[in-house]
Amino acid sequence: MSNSLYVFFPLLLFVILIVWRVWFYKKTINLNNFNPSWRNILNKEVSFYADLSATDKLRFEQELLYFFDDVTITGVKIEINDTDRLLVGASAVIPLFGFPELRYRNINEVLLYEGSFNDEHQTEGDGRNILGKVGKGNMNRLMILSLPALRAGFKNENSSSNVGIHEFVHLIDMADGAVDGIPESLMQKQYVAPWLKLMHKEIENIRENESDINPYGGTSEIEFLSVASEYFFNNPEEFQEKHPELYSLMKKMYRYSF
């Protein structure tokens, strides 16, 4: 065996182990732990859940329990309630709902702040224009969300913005080891080239003020994936009407049937 193969196989095994740890580790969840009162909250606050069939609602509830079992949700100097926790959980479940075999394995805790914050995570002073952030470095496996922004993302079902979904899509992008706006952990290979083509075309339209997609999506491929996903999940009918090619491809990418 050549030296290159001696190097390659351990690396391959390492990558397989990481992917398994990120996505495929499973545990037993007791569905009796789902509080029946949560269904009323979800039906009222999360239109995605409200529109599901009875069978899919049960699976959504199961996915929420998996998420709550893995991830701590903490209010920072604020009181949070069941609705807030359910909105965080829904933000996580929605992008992966087409992949019941997958679980997030790159996050331990979500911090909810009283408002927007700056690069130093301060909620007072200048530069407080950040609504959500996935931690890196010493903040690894941590997400920070503005609680008002989280609530607003679900309040208006016709909005194209949802900060919770935005940040969890970043985690999906990170799961394959390359943060590049191509969610290879989800996307079948035949869709990568069409995705790149459409993404770059739409980014150009955004930069030329010829698109209704949030201008932030024009700053990079990474942000485009999250911004387009917000729109796709929050307002699919309008997204399909205004961006039919992109909608069709993202529908395949996320394995959705609405």
Side-chain angles (χ1 to χ4, degrees):
M1 185 179 292
S2 68
N3 290 335
S4 61
L5 288 179
Y6 278 116
V7 174
F8 174 76
F9 281 114
L11 179 60
L12 178 61
L13 289 174
F14 176 75
V15 171
I16 291 172
L17 176 63
I18 291 299
V19 170
W20 182 84
R21 286 178 62 105
V22 168
W23 287 126
F24 294 100
Y25 175 74
K26 294 184 178 181
K27 61 181 75 174
T28 301
I29 290 293
N30 185 355
L31 291 177
N32 291 327
N33 291 334
F34 192 89
N35 188 328
S37 68
W38 292 353
R39 294 190 180 101
N40 293 331
I41 297 172
L42 289 169
N43 277 312
K44 180 181 178 181
E45 303 291 340
V46 182
S47 60
F48 183 97
Y49 171 89
D51 293 338
L52 293 174
S53 67
T55 300
D56 282 342
K57 282 184 176 181
L58 287 176
R59 187 163 71 79
F60 193 100
E61 294 165 8
Q62 182 182 39
E63 297 299 337
L64 279 173
L65 290 178
Y66 273 112
F67 181 78
F68 290 152
D69 195 57
D70 290 333
V71 180
T72 301
I73 303 169
T74 306
V76 179
K77 299 180 180 179
I78 55 173
E79 294 291 329
I80 60 173
N81 54 35
D82 282 354
T83 297
D84 301 326
R85 294 183 181 91
L86 287 168
L87 293 184
V88 172
S91 300
V93 170
I94 289 170
L96 283 185
F97 195 68
F99 298 83
E101 71 277 14
L102 302 185
R103 302 282 180 269
Y104 293 95
R105 285 286 168 251
N106 51 1
I107 184 169
N108 291 336
E109 186 172 15
V110 177
L111 301 180
L112 297 180
Y113 280 19
E114 63 182 349
S116 58
F117 50 95
N118 59 24
D119 287 328
E120 286 73 42
H121 311 133
Q122 302 299 314
T123 56
E124 297 180 357
D126 297 331
R128 293 181 295 108
N129 58 359
I130 303 175
L131 300 179
K133 183 177 182 180
V134 177
K136 298 178 183 178
N138 62 354
M139 302 285 286
N140 191 32
R141 306 182 68 81
L142 185 68
M143 180 184 293
I144 304 173
L145 296 173
S146 159
L147 181 56
L150 172 70
R151 291 170 174 171
F154 287 94
K155 187 62 64 177
N156 182 0
E157 63 183 57
N158 295 320
S159 170
S160 62
S161 299
N162 186 302
V163 69
I165 290 175
H166 181 108
E167 297 304 327
F168 278 101
V169 170
H170 278 321
L171 287 184
I172 293 171
D173 189 15
M174 292 176 178
D176 59 21
V179 188
D180 53 8
I182 306 171
E184 294 180 80
S185 299
L186 310 186
M187 186 182 289
Q188 296 180 36
K189 289 183 178 179
Q190 67 265 34
Y191 300 136
V192 173
W195 169 251
L196 286 170
K197 181 180 179 181
L198 279 177
M199 176 169 60
H200 290 144
K201 177 183 176 182
E202 197 59 47
I203 287 175
E204 183 177 347
N205 289 340
I206 292 172
R207 291 173 177 173
E208 294 179 357
N209 296 317
E210 295 178 357
S211 175
D212 69 326
I213 294 176
N214 187 329
Y216 191 50
T219 59
S220 70
E221 290 85 353
I222 298 168
E223 296 302 338
F224 179 82
L225 171 64
S226 282
V227 165
S229 296
E230 294 178 71
Y231 197 162
F232 175 80
F233 289 117
N234 245 41
N235 197 348
E237 292 183 358
E238 184 172 324
F239 190 76
Q240 181 180 21
E241 179 183 348
K242 295 186 176 180
H243 307 277
E245 285 186 276
L246 196 55
Y247 173 86
S248 178
L249 184 54
M250 293 183 73
K251 185 176 178 181
K252 296 172 183 174
M253 180 174 78
Y254 282 114
R255 294 185 187 172
Y256 274 86
S257 58
F258 44 65

